[in-house]
Amino acid sequence: MKPMTMQELIEDYRISCNLLTERIESINKQLKMFVPPEKYSELSHRRRTLREERLEILHTIENLQEHCK
């Protein structure tokens, strides 16, 4: 397997970030419907975790872009 270039790595992170965004939006839609309290709590916790992961990826992308300049 060949080593990834910095731009390829950044693009992979962007794809992951977009997928996380889609998953977060899906959970948001579920939370707008009536769900039992325990399910709501579970979904809310999952959404928070995904948001944190997404922020980490965004920070990583930002740091990688700085190194590409």
Side-chain angles (χ1 to χ4, degrees), residues 1-36:
M1 187 167 119
K2 72 171 187 142
M4 294 181 84
T5 66
M6 196 69 78
Q7 290 301 326
E8 290 171 325
L9 186 58
I10 290 171
E11 184 57 28
D12 278 359
Y13 276 117
R14 282 191 179 125
I15 290 168
S16 294
C17 188
N18 289 339
L19 291 172
L20 281 171
T21 301
E22 289 176 13
R23 290 169 63 194
I24 291 167
E25 288 174 4
S26 173
I27 290 173
N28 284 337
K29 287 179 184 177
Q30 292 177 48
L31 290 172
K32 287 181 181 177
M33 294 184 241
F34 177 75
V35 290

Side-chain angles (χ1 to χ4, degrees), residues 49-63:
T49 302
L50 293 174
R51 284 177 172 170
E52 290 169 3
E53 289 177 18
R54 185 176 178 277
L55 280 175
E56 287 178 24
I57 290 175
L58 288 171
H59 289 300
T60 301
I61 290 171
E62 187 177 285
N63 289 335

Side-chain angles (χ1 to χ4, degrees), residues 34-48:
F34 177 75
V35 290
E38 62 186 33
K39 181 70 174 174
Y40 186 93
S41 178
E42 177 185 320
L43 287 170
S44 183
H45 178 69
R46 183 69 183 139
R47 178 179 61 180
R48 183 175 29 257

